[in-house]
Amino acid sequence: MAGSSHGHTPAAWTGVIISFIGFCVASMFMVVSSPVGFWVGMGIVLLGGVVGGIMSKMGMGQKPHFHPLNPPAAGREPARAES
């Protein structure tokens, strides 16, 4: 989608930064052979996704975009198969 701002929101940046920190923590503990530290890092990665999702629901994510030739189907009836 040319011209869109996909991923350029506070929710996306925050989620990615937290997940990146989690990957760094997990990889560090993988090198020092500590399974508990590795799984703590993986938990931080999941926390990044949760925080990004919550921030998006709070209005800090990307706004819905509809193409002008394909508006949302609010007033349309569902398609039905005829026999």
Side-chain angles (χ1 to χ4, degrees):
M1 288 177 24
S4 72
S5 62
H6 179 72
H8 298 278
T9 62
W13 280 101
T14 304
V16 167
I17 289 171
I18 292 172
S19 295
F20 179 72
I21 291 169
F23 277 117
C24 291
V25 169
S27 62
M28 179 185 69
F29 280 108
M30 183 182 278
V31 170
V32 296
S33 194
S34 173
V36 174
F38 169 78
W39 288 111
V40 168
M42 288 291 103
I44 295 171
V45 170
L46 293 175
L47 178 69
V50 170
V51 169
I54 290 171
M55 288 179 69
S56 181
K57 297 281 187 206
M58 292 173 59
M60 294 183 224
Q62 186 175 5
K63 307 296 183 254
H65 172 74
F66 300 105
H67 193 275
L69 297 178
N70 190 18
R76 292 193 231 166
E77 290 195 25
R80 299 175 212 230
E82 300 204 13
S83 51

